[in-house]
């Protein structure tokens, strides 16, 4: 049996199945990217809930895996050359899992890099902008009397949705007929924007019919339905 006891994180979250990928996460848009990918790929994994309510993400055990104190993070006992590998940053984990299995990422070089550009587009644009809009619309920022910060993120979120709308026109998925990690990276954030953040009306989501179509197809996938609720909040 694989021994993961040398990793400090297993002291707080003991591995019941140390031969499986250990996932440390929370069902947020970034967190579910990895659980969805693991479900889609059929990789055995063991999820562990990192609770923000008890500041698990700032515990010494979690920081030993991710010094940036953000979820998700993984510990793969069967990494490259058969050695354990730890990773943080959801985009990096998606690329790793796709490369490990040879799935969810085109095999040709051009297709691979085109997919990666859309993953990075999500990481550099969609995630930060939608997240800031969520802060100013749903959380503490909603009480700010000055609405210019909120409106700045509304405008940028609408611009990004327009980019995605144009990309999806005439395509089944971001990369065409092939479902990839680009879809897994982007669509949980779109779902969160109009769902949990409740900002659909604010960004005029009704005008983005291609985005609506693809989002509906995404959430209808069985692996996505499972991944969106992992790890369970208890």
């Amino acid at each position: 049996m694989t021994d993961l006891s040398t990793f400090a994180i297993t002291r707080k979250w003991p591995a019941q199945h140390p031969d499986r990928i250990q996932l440390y996460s929370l069902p947020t848009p970034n967190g579910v990217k990895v659980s969805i990918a693991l479900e889609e790929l059929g990789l055995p994994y063991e999820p562990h809930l990192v609770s923000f309510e008890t500041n698990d993400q700032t515990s010494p055990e979690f920081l030993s895996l991710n010094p940036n104190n953000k979820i998700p993070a993984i510990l793969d006992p069967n990494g490259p050359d058969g050695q354990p590998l730890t990773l943080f940053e959801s985009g990096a984990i998606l690329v790793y899992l796709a490369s490990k299995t040879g799935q969810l990422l085109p095999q040709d070089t051009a297709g691979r890099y085109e997919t990666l550009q859309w993953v990075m587009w999500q990481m550099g644009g969609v995630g930060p902008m939608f997240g800031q809009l969520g802060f100013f619309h749903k959380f503490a920022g909603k009480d700010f009397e000055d609405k210019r910060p909120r409106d700045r993120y509304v405008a940028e979120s609408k611009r990004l949705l327009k980019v995605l709308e144009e990309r999806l026109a005439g395509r089944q998925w971001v990369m065409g007929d092939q479902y990839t990690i680009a879809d897994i990276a982007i669509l949980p954030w779109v779902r969160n924007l109009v769902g949990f953040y409740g900002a659909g009306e604010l960004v005029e989501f009704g005008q983005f019919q291609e985005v609506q179509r693809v989002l509906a197809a995404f959430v209808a996938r069985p692996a996505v339905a499972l991944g969106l609720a992992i790890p369970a909040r208890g």
Side-chain angles (χ1 to χ4, degrees), residues 154-226:
V154 168
E156 182 62 6
S157 295
K158 289 172 68 174
R159 187 192 70 80
L160 290 165
L161 285 168
K162 185 174 186 293
V163 171
L164 183 58
E165 177 80 1
E166 293 174 353
R167 173 66 183 182
L168 292 173
R171 290 183 170 87
Q172 183 177 2
W173 300 104
V174 171
M175 288 301 296
D177 292 338
Q178 185 177 358
Y179 174 76
T180 69
I181 58 172
D183 303 291
I184 296 174
I186 296 166
L187 293 168
W189 273 102
V190 178
R191 174 180 175 271
N192 204 66
L193 178 70
V194 300
F196 181 66
Y197 289 162
E201 184 176 349
L202 201 59
V203 298
E204 300 178 325
F205 192 64
Q207 68 178 295
F208 302 108
Q209 295 184 6
E210 298 293 338
V211 178
Q212 292 180 58
R213 169 183 60 83
V214 177
L215 177 61
F218 177 71
V219 298
R221 296 177 67 90
V224 172
L226 288 170

Side-chain angles (χ1 to χ4, degrees), residues 11 17 19 38 62 64 68 82 85 100 109 115 130 179 202 207 228:
R11 294 198 291 269
H17 303 279
D19 56 326
L38 288 164
F62 188 77
S64 72
N68 195 40
L85 175 71
K100 178 184 177 77
T109 303
T115 304
F130 287 13
Y179 174 76
L202 201 59
Q207 68 178 295
L228 285 172

Side-chain angles (χ1 to χ4, degrees), residues 58-128:
T58 60
S59 66
E61 293 86 356
F62 188 77
L63 292 173
S64 72
L65 192 65
N66 182 1
N68 195 40
N69 69 277
K70 303 292 183 182
I71 59 95
I74 65 167
L75 166 54
D76 184 358
N78 301 299
D81 302 318
Q83 298 300 308
L85 175 71
T86 64
L87 280 179
F88 61 88
E89 285 295 329
S90 58
I93 297 171
L94 287 181
V95 175
Y96 170 69
L97 295 175
S99 300
K100 178 184 177 77
T101 59
Q103 300 178 59
L104 297 178
L105 194 59
Q107 296 300 302
D108 65 290
T109 303
R112 177 183 175 87
Y113 282 109
E114 188 177 353
T115 304
L116 292 178
Q117 81 176 349
W118 285 102
V119 173
M120 294 183 185
W121 177 78
Q122 180 277 308
M123 294 164 59
V126 168

Side-chain angles (χ1 to χ4, degrees), residues 23-27 31-32 35 45 47-50 227-234:
L23 169 64
Y24 308 92
S25 192
L26 187 68
V32 300
S35 51
Y45 70 102
H48 303 279
L49 179 70
V50 179
L228 285 172
I230 295 173
R233 291 179 182 267

